[in-house]
Amino acid sequence: MADWKVSLYRPRVGAAEAEAVAEVIRSGWLSNGPVTRRFEEEFAAAAGVEDSVAVSNGTAALHLAFLALGVGPGDEVVLPSLSFVSAAAVVTLCGATPVFADVSGPHDLGVSPSDVAARVTDRTRAIVAMHYGGHAADLPALAELARRHGVALVEDSAHAPATMSEHGVLGTVGDIGCYSFFATKNLAMGEGGAVVARDARLRERIRRLRSHALSVSAQERHRGGPSVYDVDSFGLNYRPTEVGSAIGLVQLRDLPDRQRRRQEIVARYRHELADLPGLLLPYAGRAVEHGAHHLFAVLLPPGTPRPRLQERLAAAGVQTGVHYPPSHLFTAYRERFGCREGQLPVTEDVMERQLSLPLYSELTDDDVRLVATEFRDALREVA
Ligand SMILES: *Cc1c(COP(=O)(O)O)cnc(C)c1O
């Protein structure tokens, strides 16, 4: 691994997580079990919903959401191209067609409700909202659109675990909310995820599909329950482990504190970078108290050579990233669905200019100052 002065992400893990993991190992039960159940209950409580289903990762959460909704061949799902490619991939693997929609604009990188509306057809089964960087997508407009057309609203809330926003707790406004607890996310188990759904029957379907659609779980058999089971649909193994859930429980208790620190860091970045000519800070007009602040995204002045800027910052020990290459321009989507350049002008324009600066709760004020100073210098040099 490179020796960064300031890396793009760093999970906050320590003695409390190590002790929780040791306890799981001493218990002798490693797969989905009582620790996972406790995580599901505490995650649901933190999000203010009745229950949650923990899964092996965020992509599994999205896959289960579309399977439980019955998305299949002949169906379409309208979703942002400006996202991690997971949702588009699992829609395709369900046999359905991902229909990419544009984003609202440079100040709001969430999917545009009016562009989504223009792409809804009688084949549409679901709309996906992704809370870019932990900032709420336009949930009121998207929920109204979904309701009007009788389709499901799925929230890809991978960037925002149990997070209050202007529009309610992210992931809990639509029909199904999907979370990721990958190593770089705000709540980091290494690998992990969760699904919430308002409809209890939908939740039970997701719980069944998570474990081969068995009528009796391995845990119930282990506890002496019936050893013969039935299978009433086609399931997968997307179970989490007790080790991940133990780490998640520790992090969940710490989450409000971590989120507050992210807010402070973002406020500092906004202040330090406020007066750079041509630089645009998406979401800078929103109160720092809202959202999860998973990414600190900037849009570079038009024409800035981003690779050179990133090289210059890397030489100074500052790691940066790009979130995300638009999904519709990946080879697989061009070849399968005929996607092409020019199809989503706002997405394509902002993604040429997007850059993510380091953001995690362990960043010190000195780190933030260093990143801001190096960024200003680098921008001046490459301009
Ligand atoms: C990380 C991420 C995912 C996928 O989560 P995994 O746990 O890595 O499978 C999906 N969508 C978005 C927006 C993400 O950032």
Side-chain angles (χ1 to χ4, degrees), residues 120-162:
V120 170
T121 71
D122 55 9
R123 290 183 299 278
T124 305
R125 288 294 299 274
I127 294 168
V128 178
M130 197 279 272
H131 304 302
Y132 182 95
H135 303 280
D138 189 347
L139 286 171
L142 293 167
E144 164 58 19
L145 198 59
R147 197 196 52 74
R148 184 149 31 96
H149 291 279
V151 305
L153 177 62
V154 174
E155 289 178 68
D156 181 345
S157 199
H159 295 182

mmCIF file of all heavy atoms in Angstrom, residues 120-162:
data_model
loop_
_atom_site.group_PDB
_atom_site.id
_atom_site.type_symbol
_atom_site.label_atom_id
_atom_site.label_comp_id
_atom_site.label_asym_id
_atom_site.label_seq_id
_atom_site.Cartn_x
_atom_site.Cartn_y
_atom_site.Cartn_z
ATOM 1 N N VAL A 120 -39.868 7.091 -17.416
ATOM 2 C CA VAL A 120 -40.781 6.061 -16.908
ATOM 3 C C VAL A 120 -41.690 5.599 -18.052
ATOM 4 O O VAL A 120 -42.218 6.419 -18.799
ATOM 5 C CB VAL A 120 -41.619 6.610 -15.730
ATOM 6 C CG1 VAL A 120 -42.741 5.647 -15.361
ATOM 7 C CG2 VAL A 120 -40.727 6.873 -14.516
ATOM 8 N N THR A 121 -41.826 4.273 -18.193
ATOM 9 C CA THR A 121 -42.716 3.705 -19.220
ATOM 10 C C THR A 121 -43.644 2.696 -18.544
ATOM 11 O O THR A 121 -43.568 2.504 -17.324
ATOM 12 C CB THR A 121 -41.926 2.947 -20.309
ATOM 13 O OG1 THR A 121 -41.404 1.738 -19.733
ATOM 14 C CG2 THR A 121 -40.780 3.772 -20.871
ATOM 15 N N ASP A 122 -44.471 2.018 -19.326
ATOM 16 C CA ASP A 122 -45.336 1.005 -18.690
ATOM 17 C C ASP A 122 -44.561 -0.268 -18.333
ATOM 18 O O ASP A 122 -45.116 -1.182 -17.732
ATOM 19 C CB ASP A 122 -46.590 0.723 -19.537
ATOM 20 C CG ASP A 122 -46.238 0.319 -20.957
ATOM 21 O OD1 ASP A 122 -45.044 0.097 -21.244
ATOM 22 O OD2 ASP A 122 -47.166 0.226 -21.798
ATOM 23 N N ARG A 123 -43.294 -0.317 -18.707
ATOM 24 C CA ARG A 123 -42.457 -1.453 -18.282
ATOM 25 C C ARG A 123 -41.683 -1.161 -16.993
ATOM 26 O O ARG A 123 -41.054 -2.036 -16.424
ATOM 27 C CB ARG A 123 -41.463 -1.827 -19.390
ATOM 28 C CG ARG A 123 -42.131 -2.473 -20.610
ATOM 29 C CD ARG A 123 -41.103 -2.908 -21.657
ATOM 30 N NE ARG A 123 -40.334 -1.780 -22.160
ATOM 31 C CZ ARG A 123 -40.759 -0.946 -23.127
ATOM 32 N NH1 ARG A 123 -41.947 -1.138 -23.681
ATOM 33 N NH2 ARG A 123 -40.012 0.046 -23.536
ATOM 34 N N THR A 124 -41.709 0.100 -16.524
ATOM 35 C CA THR A 124 -40.943 0.470 -15.327
ATOM 36 C C THR A 124 -41.492 -0.242 -14.092
ATOM 37 O O THR A 124 -42.707 -0.222 -13.849
ATOM 38 C CB THR A 124 -41.001 2.001 -15.098
ATOM 39 O OG1 THR A 124 -40.557 2.642 -16.296
ATOM 40 C CG2 THR A 124 -40.121 2.416 -13.936
ATOM 41 N N ARG A 125 -40.611 -0.874 -13.332
ATOM 42 C CA ARG A 125 -41.037 -1.542 -12.089
ATOM 43 C C ARG A 125 -40.523 -0.824 -10.846
ATOM 44 O O ARG A 125 -41.076 -0.978 -9.771
ATOM 45 C CB ARG A 125 -40.516 -2.997 -12.056
ATOM 46 C CG ARG A 125 -41.209 -3.917 -13.013
ATOM 47 C CD ARG A 125 -42.686 -4.120 -12.625
ATOM 48 N NE ARG A 125 -42.840 -4.711 -11.309
ATOM 49 C CZ ARG A 125 -42.821 -6.005 -11.069
ATOM 50 N NH1 ARG A 125 -42.706 -6.864 -12.046
ATOM 51 N NH2 ARG A 125 -42.970 -6.459 -9.842
ATOM 52 N N ALA A 126 -39.426 -0.090 -11.004
ATOM 53 C CA ALA A 126 -38.844 0.577 -9.830
ATOM 54 C C ALA A 126 -38.012 1.774 -10.262
ATOM 55 O O ALA A 126 -37.547 1.857 -11.406
ATOM 56 C CB ALA A 126 -37.974 -0.406 -9.039
ATOM 57 N N ILE A 127 -37.861 2.708 -9.311
ATOM 58 C CA ILE A 127 -36.989 3.875 -9.463
ATOM 59 C C ILE A 127 -35.954 3.769 -8.346
ATOM 60 O O ILE A 127 -36.298 3.407 -7.218
ATOM 61 C CB ILE A 127 -37.804 5.179 -9.315
ATOM 62 C CG1 ILE A 127 -38.803 5.332 -10.473
ATOM 63 C CG2 ILE A 127 -36.887 6.396 -9.223
ATOM 64 C CD1 ILE A 127 -39.845 6.431 -10.240
ATOM 65 N N VAL A 128 -34.696 4.067 -8.670
ATOM 66 C CA VAL A 128 -33.652 4.034 -7.639
ATOM 67 C C VAL A 128 -33.179 5.460 -7.353
ATOM 68 O O VAL A 128 -32.827 6.200 -8.281
ATOM 69 C CB VAL A 128 -32.440 3.184 -8.080
ATOM 70 C CG1 VAL A 128 -31.353 3.198 -7.010
ATOM 71 C CG2 VAL A 128 -32.870 1.753 -8.381
ATOM 72 N N ALA A 129 -33.174 5.829 -6.077
ATOM 73 C CA ALA A 129 -32.568 7.089 -5.633
ATOM 74 C C ALA A 129 -31.259 6.741 -4.937
ATOM 75 O O ALA A 129 -31.229 5.829 -4.121
ATOM 76 C CB ALA A 129 -33.493 7.803 -4.658
ATOM 77 N N MET A 130 -30.179 7.442 -5.286
ATOM 78 C CA MET A 130 -28.910 7.201 -4.581
ATOM 79 C C MET A 130 -28.529 8.495 -3.870
ATOM 80 O O MET A 130 -28.572 9.566 -4.479
ATOM 81 C CB MET A 130 -27.834 6.805 -5.592
ATOM 82 C CG MET A 130 -26.613 6.146 -4.983
ATOM 83 S SD MET A 130 -25.403 7.288 -4.270
ATOM 84 C CE MET A 130 -24.385 7.642 -5.703
ATOM 85 N N HIS A 131 -28.207 8.385 -2.606
ATOM 86 C CA HIS A 131 -27.884 9.581 -1.818
ATOM 87 C C HIS A 131 -26.386 9.862 -1.940
ATOM 88 O O HIS A 131 -25.579 9.421 -1.116
ATOM 89 C CB HIS A 131 -28.334 9.389 -0.371
ATOM 90 C CG HIS A 131 -29.786 9.060 -0.278
ATOM 91 N ND1 HIS A 131 -30.759 9.889 -0.793
ATOM 92 C CD2 HIS A 131 -30.443 7.976 0.211
ATOM 93 C CE1 HIS A 131 -31.943 9.338 -0.603
ATOM 94 N NE2 HIS A 131 -31.773 8.179 -0.001
ATOM 95 N N TYR A 132 -26.056 10.595 -2.999
ATOM 96 C CA TYR A 132 -24.658 10.815 -3.365
ATOM 97 C C TYR A 132 -23.869 11.465 -2.226
ATOM 98 O O TYR A 132 -24.238 12.552 -1.748
ATOM 99 C CB TYR A 132 -24.584 11.705 -4.619
ATOM 100 C CG TYR A 132 -23.177 11.949 -5.094
ATOM 101 C CD1 TYR A 132 -22.616 11.150 -6.089
ATOM 102 C CD2 TYR A 132 -22.390 12.940 -4.529
ATOM 103 C CE1 TYR A 132 -21.315 11.348 -6.506
ATOM 104 C CE2 TYR A 132 -21.083 13.151 -4.940
ATOM 105 C CZ TYR A 132 -20.553 12.349 -5.927
ATOM 106 O OH TYR A 132 -19.255 12.548 -6.338
ATOM 107 N N GLY A 133 -22.803 10.815 -1.843
ATOM 108 C CA GLY A 133 -21.935 11.370 -0.800
ATOM 109 C C GLY A 133 -22.607 11.463 0.556
ATOM 110 O O GLY A 133 -22.058 12.075 1.473
ATOM 111 N N GLY A 134 -23.806 10.881 0.695
ATOM 112 C CA GLY A 134 -24.546 10.958 1.955
ATOM 113 C C GLY A 134 -25.540 12.109 1.986
ATOM 114 O O GLY A 134 -26.141 12.377 3.025
ATOM 115 N N HIS A 135 -25.721 12.804 0.836
ATOM 116 C CA HIS A 135 -26.677 13.914 0.740
ATOM 117 C C HIS A 135 -27.980 13.398 0.141
ATOM 118 O O HIS A 135 -27.969 12.686 -0.867
ATOM 119 C CB HIS A 135 -26.118 15.035 -0.147
ATOM 120 C CG HIS A 135 -24.808 15.561 0.337
ATOM 121 N ND1 HIS A 135 -24.714 16.463 1.361
ATOM 122 C CD2 HIS A 135 -23.530 15.273 -0.027
ATOM 123 C CE1 HIS A 135 -23.440 16.727 1.597
ATOM 124 N NE2 HIS A 135 -22.697 16.021 0.763
ATOM 125 N N ALA A 136 -29.088 13.808 0.736
ATOM 126 C CA ALA A 136 -30.393 13.299 0.305
ATOM 127 C C ALA A 136 -30.665 13.612 -1.162
ATOM 128 O O ALA A 136 -30.483 14.740 -1.614
ATOM 129 C CB ALA A 136 -31.487 13.911 1.166
ATOM 130 N N ALA A 137 -31.126 12.600 -1.885
ATOM 131 C CA ALA A 137 -31.712 12.836 -3.215
ATOM 132 C C ALA A 137 -33.062 13.521 -2.996
ATOM 133 O O ALA A 137 -33.518 13.647 -1.851
ATOM 134 C CB ALA A 137 -31.880 11.511 -3.942
ATOM 135 N N ASP A 138 -33.703 13.954 -4.071
ATOM 136 C CA ASP A 138 -34.985 14.661 -3.952
ATOM 137 C C ASP A 138 -36.099 13.651 -3.660
ATOM 138 O O ASP A 138 -36.919 13.323 -4.522
ATOM 139 C CB ASP A 138 -35.260 15.453 -5.248
ATOM 140 C CG ASP A 138 -36.467 16.382 -5.097
ATOM 141 O OD1 ASP A 138 -37.222 16.230 -4.109
ATOM 142 O OD2 ASP A 138 -36.643 17.248 -5.969
ATOM 143 N N LEU A 139 -36.125 13.167 -2.421
ATOM 144 C CA LEU A 139 -37.061 12.096 -2.055
ATOM 145 C C LEU A 139 -38.534 12.475 -2.185
ATOM 146 O O LEU A 139 -39.323 11.646 -2.658
ATOM 147 C CB LEU A 139 -36.749 11.588 -0.636
ATOM 148 C CG LEU A 139 -35.483 10.728 -0.556
ATOM 149 C CD1 LEU A 139 -35.123 10.454 0.898
ATOM 150 C CD2 LEU A 139 -35.663 9.416 -1.307
ATOM 151 N N PRO A 140 -38.939 13.698 -1.787
ATOM 152 C CA PRO A 140 -40.370 13.998 -1.932
ATOM 153 C C PRO A 140 -40.837 13.863 -3.384
ATOM 154 O O PRO A 140 -41.861 13.233 -3.653
ATOM 155 C CB PRO A 140 -40.476 15.447 -1.439
ATOM 156 C CG PRO A 140 -39.297 15.622 -0.526
ATOM 157 C CD PRO A 140 -38.202 14.766 -1.104
ATOM 158 N N ALA A 141 -40.062 14.418 -4.329
ATOM 159 C CA ALA A 141 -40.466 14.363 -5.739
ATOM 160 C C ALA A 141 -40.400 12.936 -6.272
ATOM 161 O O ALA A 141 -41.295 12.500 -7.017
ATOM 162 C CB ALA A 141 -39.580 15.282 -6.570
ATOM 163 N N LEU A 142 -39.370 12.182 -5.891
ATOM 164 C CA LEU A 142 -39.218 10.815 -6.407
ATOM 165 C C LEU A 142 -40.284 9.888 -5.818
ATOM 166 O O LEU A 142 -40.816 9.022 -6.517
ATOM 167 C CB LEU A 142 -37.809 10.291 -6.104
ATOM 168 C CG LEU A 142 -36.693 11.018 -6.865
ATOM 169 C CD1 LEU A 142 -35.318 10.659 -6.284
ATOM 170 C CD2 LEU A 142 -36.733 10.687 -8.359
ATOM 171 N N ALA A 143 -40.619 10.087 -4.544
ATOM 172 C CA ALA A 143 -41.650 9.250 -3.903
ATOM 173 C C ALA A 143 -43.011 9.529 -4.548
ATOM 174 O O ALA A 143 -43.789 8.596 -4.794
ATOM 175 C CB ALA A 143 -41.695 9.515 -2.404
ATOM 176 N N GLU A 144 -43.275 10.787 -4.840
ATOM 177 C CA GLU A 144 -44.542 11.166 -5.473
ATOM 178 C C GLU A 144 -44.639 10.555 -6.887
ATOM 179 O O GLU A 144 -45.665 10.012 -7.283
ATOM 180 C CB GLU A 144 -44.635 12.706 -5.509
ATOM 181 C CG GLU A 144 -45.670 13.310 -6.434
ATOM 182 C CD GLU A 144 -47.088 12.839 -6.125
ATOM 183 O OE1 GLU A 144 -47.315 12.355 -5.002
ATOM 184 O OE2 GLU A 144 -47.949 12.933 -7.036
ATOM 185 N N LEU A 145 -43.523 10.603 -7.593
ATOM 186 C CA LEU A 145 -43.459 10.029 -8.941
ATOM 187 C C LEU A 145 -43.712 8.516 -8.896
ATOM 188 O O LEU A 145 -44.491 7.970 -9.690
ATOM 189 C CB LEU A 145 -42.052 10.311 -9.486
ATOM 190 C CG LEU A 145 -41.796 10.226 -10.966
ATOM 191 C CD1 LEU A 145 -42.686 11.205 -11.704
ATOM 192 C CD2 LEU A 145 -40.324 10.561 -11.227
ATOM 193 N N ALA A 146 -43.051 7.845 -7.944
ATOM 194 C CA ALA A 146 -43.212 6.392 -7.804
ATOM 195 C C ALA A 146 -44.665 6.060 -7.471
ATOM 196 O O ALA A 146 -45.251 5.131 -8.032
ATOM 197 C CB ALA A 146 -42.269 5.861 -6.725
ATOM 198 N N ARG A 147 -45.254 6.844 -6.567
ATOM 199 C CA ARG A 147 -46.638 6.603 -6.152
ATOM 200 C C ARG A 147 -47.584 6.776 -7.350
ATOM 201 O O ARG A 147 -48.438 5.953 -7.608
ATOM 202 C CB ARG A 147 -47.008 7.583 -5.033
ATOM 203 C CG ARG A 147 -48.254 7.203 -4.225
ATOM 204 C CD ARG A 147 -48.786 8.368 -3.408
ATOM 205 N NE ARG A 147 -48.999 9.578 -4.206
ATOM 206 C CZ ARG A 147 -49.994 9.759 -5.080
ATOM 207 N NH1 ARG A 147 -50.875 8.815 -5.284
ATOM 208 N NH2 ARG A 147 -50.087 10.885 -5.780
ATOM 209 N N ARG A 148 -47.359 7.867 -8.092
ATOM 210 C CA ARG A 148 -48.245 8.182 -9.218
ATOM 211 C C ARG A 148 -48.223 7.072 -10.275
ATOM 212 O O ARG A 148 -49.238 6.766 -10.895
ATOM 213 C CB ARG A 148 -47.834 9.533 -9.829
ATOM 214 C CG ARG A 148 -48.711 10.031 -10.940
ATOM 215 C CD ARG A 148 -48.805 11.570 -11.017
ATOM 216 N NE ARG A 148 -47.598 12.265 -10.560
ATOM 217 C CZ ARG A 148 -46.627 12.688 -11.354
ATOM 218 N NH1 ARG A 148 -46.685 12.463 -12.657
ATOM 219 N NH2 ARG A 148 -45.593 13.340 -10.855
ATOM 220 N N HIS A 149 -47.047 6.468 -10.481
ATOM 221 C CA HIS A 149 -46.934 5.427 -11.511
ATOM 222 C C HIS A 149 -47.093 4.021 -10.950
ATOM 223 O O HIS A 149 -46.963 3.042 -11.682
ATOM 224 C CB HIS A 149 -45.584 5.558 -12.233
ATOM 225 C CG HIS A 149 -45.491 6.797 -13.078
ATOM 226 N ND1 HIS A 149 -46.041 6.873 -14.338
ATOM 227 C CD2 HIS A 149 -44.948 8.001 -12.827
ATOM 228 C CE1 HIS A 149 -45.820 8.088 -14.838
ATOM 229 N NE2 HIS A 149 -45.157 8.794 -13.939
ATOM 230 N N GLY A 150 -47.283 3.908 -9.632
ATOM 231 C CA GLY A 150 -47.456 2.586 -9.032
ATOM 232 C C GLY A 150 -46.206 1.728 -9.118
ATOM 233 O O GLY A 150 -46.293 0.507 -9.309
ATOM 234 N N VAL A 151 -45.024 2.354 -9.007
ATOM 235 C CA VAL A 151 -43.769 1.586 -9.030
ATOM 236 C C VAL A 151 -43.067 1.761 -7.691
ATOM 237 O O VAL A 151 -43.390 2.663 -6.915
ATOM 238 C CB VAL A 151 -42.843 2.026 -10.194
ATOM 239 C CG1 VAL A 151 -43.580 1.938 -11.526
ATOM 240 C CG2 VAL A 151 -42.290 3.428 -9.984
ATOM 241 N N ALA A 152 -42.092 0.887 -7.419
ATOM 242 C CA ALA A 152 -41.390 0.940 -6.137
ATOM 243 C C ALA A 152 -40.282 1.996 -6.168
ATOM 244 O O ALA A 152 -39.676 2.240 -7.207
ATOM 245 C CB ALA A 152 -40.791 -0.433 -5.830
ATOM 246 N N LEU A 153 -40.027 2.603 -5.018
ATOM 247 C CA LEU A 153 -38.865 3.483 -4.860
ATOM 248 C C LEU A 153 -37.848 2.756 -3.985
ATOM 249 O O LEU A 153 -38.137 2.416 -2.832
ATOM 250 C CB LEU A 153 -39.264 4.815 -4.218
ATOM 251 C CG LEU A 153 -38.097 5.787 -3.944
ATOM 252 C CD1 LEU A 153 -37.395 6.199 -5.244
ATOM 253 C CD2 LEU A 153 -38.596 7.047 -3.205
ATOM 254 N N VAL A 154 -36.669 2.491 -4.563
ATOM 255 C CA VAL A 154 -35.584 1.827 -3.831
ATOM 256 C C VAL A 154 -34.523 2.886 -3.550
ATOM 257 O O VAL A 154 -34.090 3.593 -4.458
ATOM 258 C CB VAL A 154 -34.982 0.669 -4.666
ATOM 259 C CG1 VAL A 154 -33.759 0.068 -3.969
ATOM 260 C CG2 VAL A 154 -36.038 -0.403 -4.925
ATOM 261 N N GLU A 155 -34.106 2.991 -2.290
ATOM 262 C CA GLU A 155 -33.051 3.940 -1.943
ATOM 263 C C GLU A 155 -31.720 3.197 -1.822
ATOM 264 O O GLU A 155 -31.580 2.307 -0.991
ATOM 265 C CB GLU A 155 -33.365 4.627 -0.607
ATOM 266 C CG GLU A 155 -34.512 5.602 -0.675
ATOM 267 C CD GLU A 155 -34.777 6.200 0.697
ATOM 268 O OE1 GLU A 155 -33.939 6.965 1.195
ATOM 269 O OE2 GLU A 155 -35.822 5.865 1.280
ATOM 270 N N ASP A 156 -30.761 3.575 -2.669
ATOM 271 C CA ASP A 156 -29.392 3.089 -2.505
ATOM 272 C C ASP A 156 -28.744 4.044 -1.500
ATOM 273 O O ASP A 156 -28.263 5.109 -1.855
ATOM 274 C CB ASP A 156 -28.656 3.095 -3.840
ATOM 275 C CG ASP A 156 -27.216 2.578 -3.715
ATOM 276 O OD1 ASP A 156 -26.712 2.481 -2.575
ATOM 277 O OD2 ASP A 156 -26.591 2.288 -4.760
ATOM 278 N N SER A 157 -28.772 3.612 -0.234
ATOM 279 C CA SER A 157 -28.310 4.465 0.858
ATOM 280 C C SER A 157 -26.942 4.004 1.362
ATOM 281 O O SER A 157 -26.623 4.143 2.545
ATOM 282 C CB SER A 157 -29.350 4.448 1.977
ATOM 283 O OG SER A 157 -29.170 5.545 2.835
ATOM 284 N N ALA A 158 -26.135 3.489 0.435
ATOM 285 C CA ALA A 158 -24.809 2.958 0.791
ATOM 286 C C ALA A 158 -23.930 4.024 1.452
ATOM 287 O O ALA A 158 -23.054 3.704 2.244
ATOM 288 C CB ALA A 158 -24.109 2.421 -0.457
ATOM 289 N N HIS A 159 -24.191 5.304 1.122
ATOM 290 C CA HIS A 159 -23.364 6.378 1.672
ATOM 291 C C HIS A 159 -23.914 6.947 2.969
ATOM 292 O O HIS A 159 -23.297 7.841 3.541
ATOM 293 C CB HIS A 159 -23.253 7.527 0.653
ATOM 294 C CG HIS A 159 -22.523 7.139 -0.590
ATOM 295 N ND1 HIS A 159 -22.281 8.034 -1.619
ATOM 296 C CD2 HIS A 159 -21.960 5.971 -0.985
ATOM 297 C CE1 HIS A 159 -21.619 7.421 -2.588
ATOM 298 N NE2 HIS A 159 -21.428 6.172 -2.234
ATOM 299 N N ALA A 160 -25.078 6.485 3.393
ATOM 300 C CA ALA A 160 -25.749 7.155 4.508
ATOM 301 C C ALA A 160 -26.427 6.161 5.447
ATOM 302 O O ALA A 160 -27.621 5.888 5.321
ATOM 303 C CB ALA A 160 -26.765 8.149 3.955
ATOM 304 N N PRO A 161 -25.680 5.603 6.399
ATOM 305 C CA PRO A 161 -26.278 4.667 7.357
ATOM 306 C C PRO A 161 -27.079 5.416 8.419
ATOM 307 O O PRO A 161 -26.549 6.303 9.085
ATOM 308 C CB PRO A 161 -25.061 3.988 7.996
ATOM 309 C CG PRO A 161 -23.965 5.003 7.902
ATOM 310 C CD PRO A 161 -24.248 5.815 6.666
ATOM 311 N N ALA A 162 -28.357 5.070 8.592
ATOM 312 C CA ALA A 162 -29.186 5.627 9.669
ATOM 313 C C ALA A 162 -28.948 7.124 9.843
ATOM 314 O O ALA A 162 -28.612 7.597 10.924
ATOM 315 C CB ALA A 162 -28.912 4.886 10.980
#
